[in-house]
Amino acid sequence: MFVQPRITKTYFYTSQKENRFPPEFIQSKNPRIIKVISCKLNYLGFLVGDVKVHASFIERDHYDDYFCIMANSTNNYVKKYDYKSLRQDFKIWFTDLKNNIIEPDSFLLEMLLIY
């Protein structure tokens, strides 16, 4: 008899640029998927919509320096990434539309981890 593997879905929030995925996510034998839901960002005291969010957990499509989502986007389009690596650490950084690094006042990145 075939037993369907149990799939876990958990939200992951971060306001740090250097992060670690939960060990359960990394060690899972199931396919691991990261869904980037949104990033709320404050820059120079304002919510701005022209800031690009980049993340080192993107394993393919490295064009545009690991770009994954626009900050403060309202289009409700979730970005989905397969994760095959065993690296637990990942970094997040931000640029303007000309790919100049910027330092936000604060941010909150929301993701759904599926494993």
Side-chain angles (χ1 to χ4, degrees), residues 1-112:
M1 179 174 165
F2 177 73
V3 176
Q4 184 77 353
R6 183 169 173 252
I7 295 176
T8 301
K9 294 181 180 182
T10 187
Y11 287 97
F12 184 91
Y13 298 92
T14 185
S15 57
Q16 304 297 315
K17 290 197 275 179
E18 296 195 15
N19 299 275
R20 295 191 79 141
F21 286 121
E24 308 82 45
F25 176 72
I26 297 300
Q27 296 168 3
S28 176
K29 301 298 182 199
N30 293 338
R32 289 170 287 149
I33 298 168
I34 302 165
K35 289 188 174 184
V36 180
I37 298 170
S38 71
C39 183
K40 301 303 180 200
L41 180 137
N42 222 331
Y43 181 62
L44 300 177
F46 297 96
L47 288 173
V48 293
D50 59 349
V51 174
K52 295 163 48 178
V53 181
H54 305 261
S56 64
F57 59 73
I58 297 173
E59 296 183 306
R60 47 175 292 241
D61 301 334
H62 295 170
Y63 62 89
D64 204 10
D65 197 23
Y66 300 87
F67 168 70
C68 74
I69 196 169
M70 292 297 294
N72 300 320
S73 177
T74 58
N75 68 8
N76 296 328
Y77 181 73
V78 174
K79 304 291 182 133
K80 179 179 167 182
Y81 300 97
D82 291 325
Y83 194 70
K84 301 201 183 300
S85 174
L86 296 177
R87 286 181 303 134
Q88 193 169 5
D89 298 330
F90 68 96
K91 294 181 181 181
I92 300 166
W93 64 98
F94 306 92
T95 64
D96 62 16
L97 294 177
K98 294 181 180 179
N99 285 338
N100 298 309
I101 296 285
I102 66 161
E103 297 295 329
D105 302 337
S106 60
F107 73 92
L108 181 64
L109 181 66
E110 178 184 17
M111 300 183 287
L112 178 63

